[in-house]
Amino acid sequence: MPEGLIIKALSGFYYVLSDEIIYQCKGRGLFRKKKQTPLVGDYVIFEAANLTDGYVTELMPRKNELVRPPIANVDQALITVSAKKPPFNAKLLDRFLVLVEFHKIEPIILITKMDLVNKEEQETIDNYVENYRKLGYRVELLTNKGTANSHLFTELLKDKISVIAGQSGVGKSSFLNSLNPELTLETAEISSSLGRGKHTTRHVELIEILGGMVADTPGFSSLDFNQIELEQLPFCFREIKQYRSLCKFRGCMHVNEPKCAVKEALANGEIMEDRYSHYVEFYQEIKSRKPRY
Ligand SMILES: Nc1nc2c(ncn2[C@@H]2O[C@H](COP(=O)(O)OP(=O)(O)OP(=O)(O)O)[C@@H](O)[C@H]2O)c(=O)[nH]1
Ligand SMILES: [Mg+2]
Ligand SMILES: [Zn+2]
């Protein structure tokens, strides 16, 4: 039986890509019995007598899975923030980074709408970019309008499953369109009264771009840290992870403890203040979460 990749799940059907052909399939009852739900990104075994009456019969083991957006086997996340409209938001960027690091997915940072910034805003952004690059992140500054961006990403997407994530209106669909002029993903002006996007993209679908599969998503609709336990948070910040073994106390959470190497690095300017203050905010957020039982 053939193998394929689920590229879209809609109204009870799974669309399975196999050898450049898409088969419309249903799930076999067996998934429900095993409490398995096929996801976009699942590699599957299926049978199909024709293009519209197939059945997914088996799911291959997953590398990882995200709940919102629902997608499996993600290799990397293109975290998208705009330089302007909506305004650059480092805290939101760090929120996405924490969620992506938590799932052990490689993040790539895209800063869009660079055509809109003035000199002063450019300097602020350059400063952040330098810091994020120091942490080892790949950061790209982009203009999606009237510019081809494909030359920057020829190797990046190839043979991988990527998701593009970010607030509504930052230009995710526009960016994907800029990689391939034949793509015509729907985009929309951000609302002038609210200054934010309209959630134009509504379902998750993998699209073939530059030799890889990319999911344009409606943004990570849920950006809460419900799955993350307090002890896991330091591991989601690369610089904290790097210094934590030097702290005096083994269970140091790098907030109130004495002889904390993270706070020393902060005082020496080796850790960016902004990042640390976001760490503390996220720490408080998780700490004040109601217990789940
Ligand atoms: N000036 C400028 N405008 C951009 C750029 N990228 C996107 N836009 C505009 O920003 C608006 C929102 O872009 P979309 O691509 O729809 O944003 P999105 O992130 O896909 O939004 P959702 O689908 O709602 O999550 C559109 O009007 C785009 O034309 C850019 O680099 N420069
Ligand atoms: Mg979109
Ligand atoms: Zn510490």
Side-chain angles (χ1 to χ4, degrees):
M1 272 186 282
E3 282 182 37
L5 170 69
I6 299 181
I7 58 162
K8 183 164 87 168
L10 207 61
S11 316
F13 288 106
Y14 302 103
Y15 295 83
V16 178
L17 177 72
S18 178
D19 272 339
E20 309 281 309
I21 297 171
I22 297 167
Y23 299 86
Q24 178 177 288
C25 298
K26 284 188 175 165
R28 274 264 154 88
L30 123 170
F31 296 125
R32 242 164 287 154
K33 242 178 271 160
K34 286 197 201 165
K35 292 208 166 147
Q36 284 184 316
T37 309
L39 289 176
V40 170
D42 264 327
Y43 292 100
V44 301
I45 310 251
F46 70 105
E47 53 189 44
N50 56 51
L51 293 181
T52 54
D53 297 298
Y55 282 96
V56 173
T57 56
E58 207 178 310
L59 303 186
M60 302 309 214
R62 285 173 188 156
K63 170 179 163 175
N64 57 32
E65 61 181 87
L66 299 176
V67 182
R68 272 170 282 189
I71 182 166
N73 297 317
V74 177
D75 294 304
Q76 56 191 8
L78 311 176
I79 299 176
T80 315
V81 289
S82 47
K84 216 172 167 172
K85 286 192 175 181
F88 181 76
N89 185 337
K91 186 171 160 192
L92 195 59
L93 172 57
D94 285 338
R95 223 170 230 286
F96 276 109
L97 284 170
V98 164
L99 289 163
V100 168
E101 293 277 6
F102 176 71
H103 287 283
K104 307 221 161 15
I105 296 169
E106 180 65 25
I108 290 119
I109 301 169
L110 306 179
I111 303 180
T112 59
K113 311 202 189 188
M114 287 305 290
D115 54 315
L116 300 180
V117 300
N118 62 30
K119 197 154 173 274
E120 199 182 315
E121 293 159 339
Q122 172 91 45
E123 275 166 21
T124 310
I125 287 180
D126 285 345
N127 200 10
Y128 277 107
V129 170
E130 196 189 318
N131 274 293
Y132 284 104
R133 285 190 179 145
K134 263 194 220 144
L135 294 175
Y137 293 116
R138 176 167 170 182
V139 186
E140 295 289 346
L141 298 171
L142 300 169
T143 295
N144 295 324
K145 277 188 157 176
T147 317
N149 288 315
S150 53
H151 61 285
L152 294 170
F153 298 95
T154 44
E155 288 305 313
L156 186 72
L157 304 178
K158 206 162 175 279
D159 300 327
K160 292 196 179 119
I161 294 182
S162 310
V163 294
I164 185 158
Q167 204 182 351
S168 180
V170 295
K172 298 178 296 293
S173 301
S174 305
F175 167 68
L176 296 179
N177 284 338
S178 82
L179 294 181
N180 180 353
E182 280 163 36
L183 268 182
T184 48
L185 296 171
E186 197 189 340
T187 64
E189 289 296 321
I190 64 169
S191 145
S192 48
S193 55
L194 298 172
R196 54 171 194 249
K198 296 169 181 166
H199 297 284
T200 312
T201 304
R202 287 178 184 278
H203 67 271
V204 185
E205 180 172 357
L206 285 168
I207 316 155
E208 197 174 340
I209 302 175
L210 301 174
M213 301 303 290
V214 184
D216 187 12
T217 73
F220 283 25
S221 40
S222 161
L223 282 178
D224 57 49
F225 295 136
N226 275 336
Q227 283 177 288
I228 305 180
E229 300 299 332
L230 210 48
E231 295 68 33
Q232 295 167 315
L233 187 65
F235 293 94
C236 300
F237 281 78
R238 288 188 176 180
E239 60 278 60
I240 293 179
K241 203 160 102 182
Q242 186 192 331
Y243 285 99
R244 58 181 288 287
S245 61
L246 304 172
C247 295
K248 175 152 200 246
F249 297 104
R250 229 176 132 239
C252 187
M253 288 305 290
H254 328 295
V255 180
N256 296 316
E257 297 88 341
K259 301 232 156 67
C260 167
V262 171
K263 283 199 285 178
E264 279 162 26
L266 175 73
N268 297 338
E270 288 156 36
I271 287 182
M272 194 182 172
E273 274 178 37
D274 216 39
R275 289 270 297 168
Y276 180 75
S277 70
H278 296 155
Y279 169 77
V280 175
E281 282 182 60
F282 300 160
Y283 172 90
Q284 303 295 4
E285 184 179 324
I286 295 175
K287 205 167 176 219
S288 62
R289 178 172 71 198
K290 292 200 192 82
R292 267 173 288 170
Y293 42 84

